[in-house]
Amino acid sequence: MTTIKEFAAHLDDYTGRLAQAVEKLEIERTQGSLNRDEQMDLIGDLRQTVRERLIRPWRRRAVAALIVGLLLLAAALLLPSDWPRILLLRWSASGVGILLLAWGGYGAGKAHHYRNLECVWLKDLEAAVQMGGTVFDIQHSPRHP
């Protein structure tokens, strides 16, 4: 199970901004003065961080690999197949194109996985806070990194 503190620490950058926000909320919870707006701000920061650090890079990798893979396959199909030296180039381009398409599919799957993480768990956290709970009430058992 992953707590909000572990999740924030995993996503945090070198400034420690997310971990500090979680620690501040923990202190406020022990004092009995936990603010709903600050919890919603934390959820928004987590959502933005997931998008910037996990979803967008994998989406970019997937799109780039798929485009280059398709271009290589198209180029391989356009090369003449009757010349022996060109045949080796054609097979090589086809192989690299297929590998890039596979990598693009993997990247698209990772981006989809992180998008589900953002949509499901963070939405559950948001709903819990809206209903009067806290961000500390829900634990998550994801397959996140």
Side-chain angles (χ1 to χ4, degrees):
M1 295 299 254
T2 302
T3 63
I4 189 79
K5 187 174 186 175
E6 293 167 343
F7 185 68
H10 173 75
L11 289 176
D12 222 346
D13 57 2
Y14 64 92
T15 63
R17 176 181 53 92
L18 293 173
Q20 289 174 354
V22 172
E23 287 177 21
K24 179 183 174 207
L25 288 177
E26 281 183 321
I27 292 170
E28 290 177 0
R29 181 177 68 162
T30 59
Q31 295 173 348
S33 63
L34 193 56
N35 186 346
R36 185 174 72 94
D37 292 333
E38 289 180 9
Q39 292 180 73
M40 295 303 285
D41 288 344
L42 174 65
I43 293 170
D45 291 345
L46 288 171
R47 180 170 279 130
Q48 180 182 357
T49 303
V50 167
R51 286 179 184 158
E52 289 175 1
R53 297 190 74 213
L54 299 176
I55 296 171
R56 287 181 189 152
W58 277 109
R59 190 180 301 151
R60 273 189 237 117
R61 290 178 195 133
V63 168
L66 290 171
I67 289 171
V68 174
L70 286 173
L71 288 174
L72 279 173
L73 284 176
L77 289 174
L78 294 175
L79 288 174
S81 61
D82 53 348
W83 300 341
R85 290 185 180 164
I86 298 291
L87 188 59
L88 178 63
L89 180 63
R90 185 176 184 179
W91 281 101
S92 299
S94 297
V96 172
I98 290 170
L99 284 174
L100 285 171
L101 288 177
W103 177 252
Y106 175 76
K110 291 293 276 188
H112 178 70
H113 169 74
Y114 292 133
R115 181 74 178 144
N116 283 343
L117 171 70
E118 177 203 7
C119 289
V120 175
W121 191 47
L122 293 177
K123 194 174 278 190
D124 289 346
L125 277 175
E126 191 172 338
V129 171
Q130 294 283 352
M131 294 176 64
T134 69
V135 292
F136 303 105
D137 295 340
I138 295 180
Q139 290 199 351
H140 182 52
S141 56
R143 295 172 302 178
H144 78 282

